[in-house]
């Protein structure tokens, strides 16, 4: 049978791109076109017997002889305007494959199956197991319910996206999630074991809605495995504790977990602000760890309180004595806000006095920042409230002139403390950031203590006493962190202590010298630790020998002959000879060199943007001992904001699970958090399920699916079921 063939027509010496249809003899021995590239090209024969490949998209003709192969055809598809696209802001070429409705396949036309084999790229075939693991990872990473796999809407969406995916059951996705937890746990343990620096711990107590108590153990350290030093924070354990657990039992539990992770010898400090009986727990931990010589400065830097916790305790305990004036302000605002008639008068008066509208705040009990906001809003509307008091002279809820003076004075104190608190929740806060702020608070309290206002002097005196009691425990650590800040070194300590102690300069100098001596002792510990890690190989040089060619040395029961001594031994012998022969000469330590040099002056810009970790990374070779100290000291979490009891409550979803599953989900979600850093919420939810299946099967990119409400996809339409992505298991 004759079939139409393509013929090249020559017109006026040029070759026309028009193909004429001619009869060609059917060749039964012609090879079948097996390459997938022919799904985007049509092969036609010219009159002269040569073949051409016509692009189905742009109609361009390319040679298609038996010797030309298909590489040039693939290259053309890569640049063809109809088959190129942009993905994630990068130019990634995507060969679009045609969906052929093959009647002989098991799938029906329009069911989403892609037919045709791509023998050139087997890696594009659908992978059920890999997609299943990605599903579990998505559920863990974003805190979705395990039962999402049973939701009809979710199952239908996945089926339309990839019919080949076999949806897993609740039990399977739970088991896969726990497998992810175990895998990530081993990875983190390997990282912690290989990290050469110390780590710091923070302990928080949590409670489920079913009144079960949990202990959250979090590790803080500086990771310098990459090009940059990064402050890391990882939850290690989220373990159930019995309600009757004593402080000693909690301490033993913490020690047990540290030993399981293999980091009990690497702990620098611990913060127990949100831990039940934190002081007793710290004492018990010290009792066990001190004899083992595991701690810095024999444990003097072990127990640390965060700055936010110090300020909270200082203010809350001091404001208890001013409850009368706080109650008076609260009563006045309540009577304005909850009386329709009085509220209308308030608004009319504010408009008459041309005062811009601002929220009139009613505080929350036992929350001093909200009390500050209440005082601040009351002072803002002072003229309005005074005018209302004049209109209702017989109404006792409004403040007197003396009470207004006390409120304004207290607002000034709370404003300074609140501004300091607002500086704490910054990204990756290193321990050097808050020493100056805490010293400024102490200077202000000293000044306010001598205020002519009796209420200010009384409150400031109580605050100062509380502050100094809590501050003394943490001051050494924060002072050391300030010394390790090249912008300040000893300057901040010298300046602020002279201000704090005022006329008592003898005490100021003694305190400054004590901090410097303690810091020097810590440097000596690090130097000794660094020396002990060196290989005590025997050297050529022996100080008491008349010959520097000692051929035999003893190391226990082993001996090493001259022939086995290496060149590195000789070099170490030279180093020892130089050190001993130069003992009479002056030698400056890391600390001496560091303090003698001028402070680092940052270029113009925001001082808070100074990258102290980047600075120490750059100068690690110059100051090897101090850089090791910087990694350990700067990672101590002195700025953690303590969560109130209501914030440390698990939601209903986690509260219904067994403790082992709760720990697995909470920890794994925290460990996987780095995978989503820098990704916006909308993009993450949109890409989540699309990438889940698309990356494991070669499907045509017909469109882009947005899935922004997957967490709420509930076949039972129960809006009260808590969303998993609302879980907050630890403060950032």
């Amino acid at each position: 049978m004759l079939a139409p063939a393509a013929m090249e027509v020559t017109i006026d010496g040029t070759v026309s791109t028009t193909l004429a249809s001619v009869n060609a003899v059917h060749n039964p021995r012609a090879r079948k076109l097996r390459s997938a590239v022919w799904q985007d090209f049509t092969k036609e024969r010219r009159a002269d017997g040569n073949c051409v490949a016509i692009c189905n998209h742009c109609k361009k003709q390319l040679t298609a002889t038996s010797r030309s192969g298909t590489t040039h055809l693939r290259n053309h598809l890569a640049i063809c305007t109809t088959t190129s696209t942009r993905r994630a802001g990068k130019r990634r070429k995507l060969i679009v494959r045609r969906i052929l409705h093959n009647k002989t396949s098991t799938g029906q036309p329009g069911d989403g199956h892609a037919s045709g084999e791509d023998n050139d790229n087997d890696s594009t075939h659908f992978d059920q197991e890999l997609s299943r693991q990605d599903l579990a990872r998505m559920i863990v990473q974003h805190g979705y319910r395990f039962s999402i796999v049973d939701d009809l809407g979710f199952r239908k969406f996945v089926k339309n996206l990839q019919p080949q995916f076999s949806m897993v059951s609740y039990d399977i996705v739970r088991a896969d999630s726990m497998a992810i937890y175990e895998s990530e746990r081993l990875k983190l343990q390997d990282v912690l074991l290989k990290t050469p620096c110390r780590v710091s711990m923070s302990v928080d107590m949590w409670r489920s809605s079913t009144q079960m108590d949990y202990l959250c153990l979090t590790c803080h350290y500086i990771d310098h495995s990459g090009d940059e030093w990064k402050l890391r924070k990882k939850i290690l354990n989220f373990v159930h504790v019995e309600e009757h657990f004593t402080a000693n039992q909690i301490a033993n539990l913490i020690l047990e977990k540290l030993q399981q992770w293999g980091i009990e010898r690497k702990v620098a400090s611990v913060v127990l602000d949100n831990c039940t009986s934190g002081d007793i727990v710290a004492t018990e931990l010290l009792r066990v760890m001190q004899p083992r010589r595991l701690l810095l400065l024999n444990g003097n830097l072990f127990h640390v309180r965060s700055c936010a916790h110090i300020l909270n305790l200082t203010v809350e305990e001091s404001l208890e004595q001013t409850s009368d004036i706080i109650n008076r302000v609260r009563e006045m605002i309540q009577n304005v806000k909850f009386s329709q008639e009085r509220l209308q008068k308030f608004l009319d008066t504010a408009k008459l006095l041309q005062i811009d509208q601002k929220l009139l705040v009613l505080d929350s009990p036992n929350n001093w920042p909200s009390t500050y906001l209440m005082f601040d809003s009351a002072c803002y509307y002072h003229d309005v409230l005074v005018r209302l008091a004049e209109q209702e002279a017989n109404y006792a809820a409004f403040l007197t002139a003396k009470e207004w003076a006390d409120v304004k004075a207290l607002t000034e104190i709370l404003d300074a403390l609140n501004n300091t608190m607002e500086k704490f929740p910054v990204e990756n806060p290193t321990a050097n950031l808050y020493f100056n702020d805490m010293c400024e608070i102490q200077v202000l309290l000293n000044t306010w203590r001598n205020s002519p206002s009796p209420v200010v002097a009384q409150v400031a005196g109580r605050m100062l006493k509380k502050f100094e009691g809590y501050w003394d425990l943490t001051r050494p650590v924060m002072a050391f962190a300030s010394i390790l800040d090249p912008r300040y070194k000893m300057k901040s300590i010298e300046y602020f202590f002279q201000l704090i102690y005022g006329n008592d300069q003898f005490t100021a100098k003694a305190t400054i010298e004590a901090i410097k001596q303690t810091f020097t002792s810590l440097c000596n510990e690090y130097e000794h630790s660094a020396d002990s890690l060196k290989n005590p190989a025997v050297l050529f040089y022996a100080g008491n020998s008349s010959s520097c060619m000692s051929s035999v040395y003893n190391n226990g029961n082993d001996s090493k002959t001259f022939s086995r001594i290496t060149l590195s031994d000789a070099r170490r012998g030279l180093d020892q000879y130089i050190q001993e022969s130069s003992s009479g000469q002056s030698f400056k330590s890391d600390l001496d060199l560091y303090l003698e040099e001028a402070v680092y002056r940052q270029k113009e810009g925001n001082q808070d943007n100074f990258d102290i970790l980047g600075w120490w990374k750059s100068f690690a070779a110059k100051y090897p001992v101090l850089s090791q100290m910087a990694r350990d000291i700067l990672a101590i979490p002195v700025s953690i904001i303590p969560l109130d009891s209501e914030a440390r409550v698990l939601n209903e979803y986690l509260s219904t699970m067994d403790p082992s599953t709760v720990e697995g989900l909470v920890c794994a979600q925290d460990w996987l958090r780095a995978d989503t850093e820098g990704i916006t919420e909308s993009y993450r939810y949109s890409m989540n399920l699309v990438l889940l299946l698309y990356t494991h099967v070669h499907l045509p990119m017909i469109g882009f699916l947005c899935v922004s409400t997957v967490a709420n996809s509930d076949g039972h339409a129960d809006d009260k079921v808590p969303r998993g992505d609302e879980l907050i298991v630890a403060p950032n």
Side-chain angles (χ1 to χ4, degrees):
M1 180 177 179
L2 298 179
M7 181 179 71
E8 186 178 71
V9 181
T10 305
I11 302 176
D12 296 334
T14 61
V15 179
S16 172
T17 58
T18 304
L19 294 178
S21 197
V22 299
N23 291 333
V25 179
H26 174 66
N27 184 3
R29 299 182 59 187
R31 292 188 303 170
K32 183 179 179 180
L33 301 178
R34 297 181 178 276
S35 177
V37 75
W38 291 109
Q39 297 179 18
D40 295 280
F41 286 90
T42 300
K43 187 174 183 180
E44 296 185 0
R45 185 182 299 275
R46 291 175 174 173
D48 60 2
N50 294 325
C51 295
V52 295
I54 303 176
C55 178
N56 296 338
H57 308 288
C58 66
K59 305 306 178 182
K60 185 174 182 179
Q61 301 177 23
L62 294 92
T63 181
T65 63
S66 59
R67 296 183 179 181
S68 62
T70 60
T71 300
H72 66 297
L73 302 181
R74 294 180 182 278
N75 292 339
H76 170 74
L77 284 179
I79 62 175
C80 182
T81 56
T82 61
T83 59
S84 62
T85 185
R86 291 180 178 269
R87 186 180 180 184
K90 299 181 180 179
R91 297 187 60 85
R92 298 182 180 179
K93 308 306 179 185
L94 178 64
I95 300 177
V96 180
R97 296 176 57 195
R98 194 185 304 167
I99 297 181
L100 300 178
H101 301 296
N102 191 343
K103 296 182 180 181
T104 61
S105 66
T106 57
Q108 298 299 320
D111 67 355
H113 283 282
S115 63
E117 293 291 334
D118 189 354
N119 296 325
D120 297 327
N121 191 3
D122 291 335
S123 64
T124 59
H125 292 173
F126 172 70
D127 190 329
Q128 167 73 19
E129 289 302 312
L130 191 55
S131 295
R132 169 182 152 184
Q133 294 303 316
D134 278 351
L135 173 62
R137 180 174 289 266
M138 178 196 75
I139 288 176
V140 172
Q141 196 167 27
H142 302 296
Y144 300 150
R145 297 170 289 109
F146 291 150
S147 59
I148 192 176
V149 297
D150 297 325
D151 293 344
L152 296 180
F154 179 77
R155 296 174 72 92
K156 182 178 180 180
F157 169 76
V158 174
K159 188 66 175 177
N160 289 333
L161 181 65
Q162 176 44 258
Q164 297 183 58
F165 180 70
S166 179
M167 183 60 70
V168 296
S169 66
Y170 179 100
D171 292 333
I172 290 178
V173 76
R174 180 190 178 280
D176 289 345
S177 299
M178 293 302 101
I180 291 175
Y181 159 70
E182 184 61 26
S183 173
E184 295 297 324
R185 186 189 66 82
L186 294 176
K187 290 180 185 178
L188 179 58
Q189 185 173 36
D190 184 61
V191 169
L192 293 178
L193 291 176
K194 291 180 179 179
T195 298
C197 59
R198 287 180 176 265
V199 300
S200 291
M201 312 302 302
S202 60
V203 181
D204 300 280
M205 300 302 298
W206 284 70
R207 173 164 289 192
S208 70
S209 60
T210 56
Q211 304 304 307
M212 292 180 63
D213 293 324
Y214 287 86
L215 182 144
C216 180
L217 185 65
T218 306
C219 178
H220 308 259
Y221 65 99
I222 292 177
D223 177 16
H224 55 288
S225 58
D227 294 335
E228 298 180 356
W229 288 10
K230 292 291 185 181
L231 186 61
R232 303 295 186 191
K233 173 186 175 184
K234 301 291 183 181
I235 296 177
L236 300 186
N237 297 96
F238 199 86
V239 59
H240 169 58
V241 294
E242 298 293 341
E243 186 176 0
H244 60 271
F245 265 30
T246 64
N248 289 345
Q249 288 175 312
I250 293 177
N252 292 334
L253 178 62
I254 295 173
L255 286 171
E256 176 187 343
K257 297 304 177 183
L258 293 177
Q259 291 168 356
Q260 290 177 359
W261 284 94
I263 58 175
E264 72 278 6
R265 303 184 65 87
K266 301 173 67 173
V267 177
S269 298
V270 62
V271 176
L272 298 158
D273 294 344
N274 290 331
C275 179
T276 305
S277 305
D279 292 340
I280 302 177
V281 173
T283 301
E284 180 62 19
L285 290 173
L286 276 173
R287 186 188 66 80
V288 176
M289 301 179 74
Q290 263 184 331
R292 303 179 187 177
R293 299 182 180 275
L294 305 179
L295 304 176
L296 297 174
L297 291 179
N298 198 30
N300 290 336
L301 303 182
F302 180 67
H303 185 200
V304 176
R305 287 191 177 94
S306 68
C307 298
H309 187 66
I310 292 174
L311 289 183
N312 267 357
L313 293 177
T314 298
V315 179
E316 288 175 359
E317 295 178 6
S318 300
L319 287 183
E320 291 178 358
Q321 306 299 323
T322 59
S323 58
D324 291 342
I325 188 63
I326 294 175
N327 290 334
R328 290 278 292 141
V329 176
R330 186 181 298 131
E331 180 185 1
M332 177 181 63
I333 294 180
Q334 283 177 337
N335 281 277
V336 171
K337 290 177 69 72
F338 301 123
S339 170
Q340 188 63 38
E341 179 182 356
R342 193 170 289 113
L343 178 60
Q344 189 59 49
K345 289 183 179 180
F346 173 85
L347 296 175
D348 293 341
T349 304
K351 185 176 181 180
L352 179 64
L353 297 177
Q354 297 182 346
I355 297 177
D356 294 336
Q357 188 173 353
K358 179 180 176 180
L359 183 64
L360 188 60
V361 178
L362 186 63
D363 72 334
S364 174
N366 302 320
N367 186 335
W368 74 264
S370 69
T371 301
Y372 157 70
L373 294 177
M374 181 178 70
F375 276 26
D376 184 61
S377 66
C379 292
Y380 179 81
Y381 284 116
H382 169 264
D383 293 342
V384 178
L385 294 171
V386 169
R387 182 72 64 89
L388 287 181
E390 294 173 353
Q391 295 175 5
E392 301 185 39
N394 297 327
Y395 193 66
F398 293 102
L399 303 182
T400 64
K402 179 182 181 303
E403 289 173 335
W404 273 116
D406 293 342
V407 169
K408 290 181 178 180
L410 289 174
T411 303
E412 180 183 352
I413 295 178
L414 295 178
D415 180 63
L417 298 175
N418 186 70
N419 288 337
T420 303
M421 285 287 291
E422 289 180 345
K423 295 181 180 180
F424 292 146
V426 298
E427 183 180 359
N428 296 331
T430 48
N432 63 299
L433 296 178
Y434 305 107
F435 176 79
N436 293 349
D437 292 322
M438 297 300 283
C439 287
E440 288 172 2
I441 290 297
Q442 191 170 5
V443 171
L444 287 176
L445 291 177
N446 263 327
T447 303
W448 290 330
R449 186 177 54 174
N450 299 319
S451 171
S453 171
V455 66
V456 171
Q458 184 180 13
V459 171
R462 284 196 298 267
M463 285 187 177
L464 182 62
K465 184 177 180 180
K466 296 289 183 181
F467 179 88
E468 290 177 341
Y470 296 125
W471 173 233
D472 286 344
L473 181 67
T474 306
R475 184 171 60 184
V477 167
M478 296 192 65
F480 294 170
S482 182
I483 295 174
L484 290 169
D485 191 328
R487 298 172 299 171
Y488 304 118
K489 300 185 179 181
M490 288 293 298
K491 302 302 182 183
S492 287
I493 294 172
E494 294 168 355
Y495 172 76
F496 280 111
F497 284 160
Q498 290 175 5
L499 283 180
I500 290 170
Y501 291 102
N503 297 329
D504 191 359
Q505 290 301 302
F506 176 81
T507 302
K509 291 180 180 179
T511 305
I512 295 170
E513 186 62 26
I515 289 177
K516 186 175 181 179
Q517 289 297 328
T518 308
F519 188 77
T520 303
S521 299
L522 183 62
C523 288
N524 294 335
E525 280 192 15
Y526 274 86
E527 288 180 356
H528 177 74
S529 176
D531 292 339
S532 65
L533 294 177
K534 296 178 181 178
N535 183 16
V538 174
L539 311 176
F540 267 136
Y541 172 74
N544 297 327
S545 173
S546 59
S547 173
C548 64
M549 297 291 291
S550 177
S551 61
V552 180
Y553 75 93
N554 293 326
N555 183 10
N557 296 325
D558 298 331
S559 63
K560 186 172 183 178
T561 62
F562 176 79
S563 61
R564 294 173 59 193
I565 296 178
T566 64
L567 291 177
S568 60
D569 293 329
R571 176 58 58 88
R572 284 192 289 269
L574 174 61
D575 294 340
Q576 181 177 343
Y577 172 74
I578 293 175
Q579 181 178 353
E580 294 186 4
S581 61
S582 305
S583 58
Q585 301 176 2
S586 60
F587 173 77
K588 293 184 178 180
S589 65
D590 274 13
L591 180 58
D592 295 331
L593 293 173
Y594 175 72
L595 294 180
E596 285 181 359
E597 292 186 354
V599 297
Y600 172 75
R601 293 189 178 276
Q602 190 176 358
K603 295 180 180 179
E604 294 183 3
N606 188 354
Q607 292 292 319
D608 294 335
N609 292 334
F610 175 62
D611 182 10
I612 188 172
L613 298 183
W615 192 95
W616 275 109
K617 176 182 179 295
S618 301
F619 286 88
K622 184 176 182 179
Y623 307 115
V625 175
L626 285 180
S627 65
Q628 180 66 41
M629 291 176 59
R631 286 197 295 265
D632 296 349
I633 299 298
L634 295 178
I636 297 176
V638 297
S639 64
I640 290 179
I641 293 184
L643 299 177
D644 56 40
S645 57
E646 292 183 0
R648 288 182 280 120
V649 177
L650 295 178
N651 65 17
E652 294 294 334
Y653 173 56
L654 283 180
S655 297
T656 59
M657 294 185 175
D658 62 277
S660 61
T661 304
V662 172
E663 180 173 28
L665 290 178
V666 168
C667 293
Q669 185 187 45
D670 179 75
W671 300 337
L672 295 177
R673 182 176 297 161
D675 294 344
T676 58
E677 288 180 356
I679 303 178
T680 62
E681 290 292 325
S682 60
Y683 178 77
R684 183 168 71 225
Y685 288 123
S686 299
M687 289 296 293
N688 214 0
L689 290 177
V690 175
L691 296 182
L692 168 66
L693 299 175
Y694 181 80
T695 53
H696 306 312
V697 63
H698 192 64
L699 290 176
M701 184 63 80
I702 298 174
F704 195 79
L705 301 178
C706 292
V707 191
S708 61
T709 58
V710 173
N712 284 332
S713 298
D714 192 342
H716 305 287
D718 184 3
D719 294 335
K720 295 183 179 179
V721 175
R723 277 188 49 167
D725 58 346
E726 293 175 347
L727 306 183
I728 300 177
V729 297
N732 288 328

